C-alpha cells in the first residue's frame, strides 16, 4: 500500500473532488476485499465513521463494525453510532457495553499514564475477544489518516488496533491514509454522514477518563459528562461550535465550599477549557463572551449534581497541555 502522498495529489477542497475520491476509493476497496469479510473498530469519530461509510458503500454487509463503549464516551455518543450505522445504514454493528469492565479496572488508579495504559490495553482486549467470536474475517480496516503516518506521535495508539494478538492475521485496509483531516471531513459530508459527526471536535482515545482528574469515580465521571453536554449545547447555541477547535470540561478531584439552595455545600468545581490550534502542538485560548460564560455557569451549577463552581482555564499551550492529564 502506498504510504506517501504523491505530490500530484490534489487537495480535496470541494464536494466534487470528494465525490471523485469516493468513487475511486470504493472501486479500490472492492478490488482489494473481493468477497471477503472486513472488520472495523468504529469509535464514532470522523475518521472511523468515514471509513465505515466507504466500506458500506463498497462491500455492504461484508463489513463488520465493533463499537466498544468504554464508559468514557460523551453523552449520547454511543447511541448516535448505533442510530447512524445500525438503524439508518443497516450495517453489521456489534455494540459492546464494556463500561463496568473499564471502570472496575480503573478504580483507585490516579496516575495519568497508568490510566491511559489500562484504557488502551482493555480496549484491545475487548476488541480481540469480540473479533475471536467471528468467522472468516480476512481484513482489518483502520481510520489512519496522513498526519498519523507523518507525525506518528503515537497519541492515536489505541484507536488503531495495532496491538492485536499475533493469532490475528488480518490484512490492513486504510482507505483514508493519504488524507488530511479537512479532507476527511469533506469526504464525510459528501458521503452524507450527519453534520455533527463530520465536524466533531477531536476527542482523545481515553475519552472522558483524562478529564475526570485522578482516580475516576462514577459520580465525578457523570459530572464531567453532564457538564460537557451543557457546554456543547451552549457553544452550539452561541455559534461557537464550528469556530473553536476543541472545548470541553474537566472535573478535578478536590472540593470547595459553596451555598446551594440556602445551605452550605462542599462540592467539586467544573473547569472549562476552550482552545484554538492548528496542530495541537501549541494552542491559544478562545476569548468567550462573558454572557455566554455566565449562562453556562448558571446551567452547570444548577443542573449538574455535586458541582458548586465553574472556572475558566485561561492557560495557553505551553505552559498547559490541552487536556489536564
Ligand atoms: P495535549 O493534552 O497533549 O493534547 O495538549 C493534544 C491533543 O491530543 C489529544 N489527546 C489525545 N488523543 N489519545 C488520543 O487519541 C490520548 O491519549 C490523548 N491525549 C491527548 C487532545 O485531546 C488534544 O486534541
Amino acid at each position: 500500500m502506498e504510504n506517501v502522498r504523491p505530490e500530484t495529489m490534489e487537495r480535496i477542497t470541494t464536494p466534487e473532488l470528494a465525490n471523485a475520491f469516493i468513487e475511486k476509493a470504493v472501486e479500490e476497496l472492492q478490488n482489494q476485499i473481493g468477497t471477503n469479510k472486513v472488520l472495523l473498530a468504529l469509535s464514532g469519530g470522523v475518521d472511523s465513521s468515514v471509513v465505515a461509510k466507504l466500506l458500506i458503500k463498497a462491500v455492504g454487509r461484508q463489513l463488520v463494525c465493533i463499537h466498544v463503549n468504554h464508559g468514557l464516551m460523551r453523552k449520547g455518543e454511543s447511541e448516535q453510532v448505533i442510530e447512524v450505522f445500525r438503524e439508518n445504514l443497516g450495517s453489521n454493528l456489534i455494540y459492546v457495553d464494556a463500561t463496568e469492565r473499564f471502570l472496575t479496572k480503573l478504580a483507585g488508579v490516579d496516575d495519568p499514564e497508568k490510566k491511559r495504559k489500562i484504557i488502551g490495553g482493555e480496549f484491545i482486549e475487548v476488541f480481540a475477544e469480540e473479533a475471536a467470536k467471528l468467522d472468516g474475517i480476512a481484513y482489518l480496516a483502520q481510520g489512519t489518516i496522513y498526519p498519523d503516518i507523518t507525525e506518528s506521535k503515537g497519541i492515536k495508539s489505541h484507536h488503531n488496533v495495532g496491538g492485536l494478538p499475533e493469532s490475528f492475521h488480518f490484512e490492513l485496509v486504510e482507505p483514508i491514509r493519504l488524507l488530511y483531516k479537512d479532507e476527511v471531513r469533506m469526504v464525510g459530508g459528501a458521503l452524507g454522514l450527519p453534520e455533527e459527526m463530520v465536524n466533531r471536535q477531536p476527542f482523545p482515545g481515553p475519552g472522558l477518563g483524562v478529564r475526570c482528574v485522578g482516580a475516576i469515580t462514577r459520580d465525578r465521571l457523570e459530572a464531567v459528562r453532564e457538564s460537557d453536554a451543557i457546554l456543547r449545547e451552549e457553544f452550539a447555541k452561541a455559534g461557537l461550535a464550528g469556530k473553536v477547535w476543541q472545548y470541553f470540561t474537566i472535573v478535578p478531584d478536590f472540593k470547595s465550599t459553596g451555598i446551594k439552595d440556602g445551605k452550605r455545600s462542599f462540592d467539586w468545581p467544573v473547569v472549562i477549557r476552550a482552545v484554538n490550534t492548528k496542530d495541537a502542538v501549541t494552542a491559544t485560548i478562545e476569548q468567550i463572551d462573558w454572557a455566554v460564560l455566565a449562562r453556562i455557569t448558571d446551567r452547570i451549577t444548577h443542573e449538574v449534581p455535586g458541582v458548586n463552581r465553574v472556572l475558566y482555564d485561561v492557560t495557553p499551550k505551553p505552559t498547559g497541555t490541552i487536556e489536564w492529564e
Side-chain angles (χ1 to χ4, degrees), residues 116 155-156 202-206 211 245-246 280 317 321-323:
R116 271 195 176 73
I155 56 170
K156 216 178 181 183
F203 187 57
R211 299 172 183 172
W245 194 80
Q246 198 173 13
K317 176 182 179 177
T321 45
I322 295 176
E323 303 289 346

Side-chain angles (χ1 to χ4, degrees), residues 10-323:
E10 195 174 356
R11 190 90 176 200
I12 303 170
T13 51
T14 64
E16 291 70 37
L17 289 168
N19 282 327
F21 170 85
I22 292 164
E23 207 176 300
K24 193 160 162 263
V26 166
E27 200 187 310
E28 282 172 10
L29 287 169
Q30 287 167 340
N31 289 339
Q32 188 185 0
I33 298 165
T35 56
N36 289 298
K37 280 194 198 162
V38 52
L39 188 62
L40 170 74
L42 179 61
S43 69
V46 60
D47 303 338
S48 64
S49 298
V50 165
V51 170
K53 189 74 202 283
L54 280 173
L55 281 162
I56 291 169
K57 236 176 139 69
V59 297
R61 290 183 62 86
Q62 284 162 243
L63 169 70
V64 182
C65 299
I66 299 181
H67 176 69
V68 178
N69 178 358
H70 49 23
L72 307 166
M73 305 290 285
R74 284 174 287 204
K75 190 172 179 176
E77 213 159 28
S78 286
E79 290 80 355
Q80 194 191 28
V81 170
I82 295 173
E83 187 191 316
V84 170
F85 288 97
R86 186 185 283 166
E87 288 160 24
N88 301 354
L89 299 174
S91 74
N92 253 326
L93 171 70
I94 298 170
Y95 171 67
V96 191
D97 184 355
T99 303
E100 285 306 313
R101 193 167 156 169
F102 276 83
L103 294 189
T104 305
K105 275 245 159 143
L106 285 163
V109 182
D110 60 3
D111 179 77
E113 285 318 303
K114 278 197 191 127
K115 284 167 72 177
R116 271 195 176 73
K117 272 221 167 80
I118 290 174
I119 298 167
E122 203 61 16
F123 184 92
I124 289 169
E125 244 176 62
V126 173
F127 186 83
E129 277 172 29
E130 291 303 317
K133 293 179 196 163
L134 302 167
D135 275 333
I137 303 281
Y139 292 91
L140 178 70
Q142 296 202 126
T144 314
I145 66 171
Y146 205 45
D148 297 333
I149 297 173
T150 53
E151 292 162 23
S152 63
K153 277 186 292 197
I155 56 170
K156 216 178 181 183
S157 54
H158 89 268
H159 269 174
N160 303 344
V161 198
L164 277 177
E166 276 180 15
S167 52
F168 290 89
H169 297 294
F170 299 133
E171 199 178 308
L172 282 186
V173 173
E174 297 181 309
I176 57 170
R177 72 191 175 284
L178 298 181
L179 302 192
Y180 289 102
K181 198 76 172 191
D182 55 306
E183 297 180 299
V184 178
R185 295 196 202 279
M186 188 59 75
V187 170
L191 283 167
L193 286 173
E195 135 75 32
E196 212 188 308
M197 211 169 233
V198 170
N199 287 319
R200 179 156 294 183
Q201 48 170 324
F203 187 57
L208 302 181
V210 291
R211 299 172 183 172
C212 188
V213 178
I216 298 170
T217 58
R218 284 162 206 255
D219 45 5
R220 213 153 46 82
L221 181 61
E222 258 339 277
V224 180
R225 193 171 352 249
E226 290 302 322
S227 57
D228 172 74
I230 291 172
L231 182 77
R232 283 193 285 145
E233 207 181 303
E234 291 300 328
F235 263 43
K237 272 195 224 158
L240 293 167
K243 197 176 155 245
V244 183
W245 194 80
Q246 198 173 13
Y247 48 96
F248 54 88
T249 60
I250 300 122
V251 181
D253 56 349
F254 62 81
K255 292 183 171 180
S256 72
T257 53
I259 305 162
K260 249 187 167 177
D261 305 322
K263 277 188 268 173
R264 180 187 180 277
S265 77
F266 191 52
D267 283 324
W268 302 301
V270 160
V271 180
I272 297 174
R273 190 110 173 99
V275 302
N276 288 314
T277 175
K278 276 205 163 55
D279 50 14
V281 177
T282 61
T284 56
I285 300 308
E286 175 74 16
Q287 295 194 16
I288 307 293
D289 185 48
W290 205 252
V292 175
L293 280 178
R295 191 162 50 247
I296 294 169
T297 302
D298 187 59
R299 282 199 60 194
I300 290 178
T301 49
H302 287 91
E303 293 176 34
V304 183
V307 171
N308 64 359
R309 273 178 207 275
V310 173
L311 315 175
Y312 191 63
D313 185 349
V314 295
T315 320
K317 176 182 179 177
T319 54
T321 45
I322 295 176
E323 303 289 346

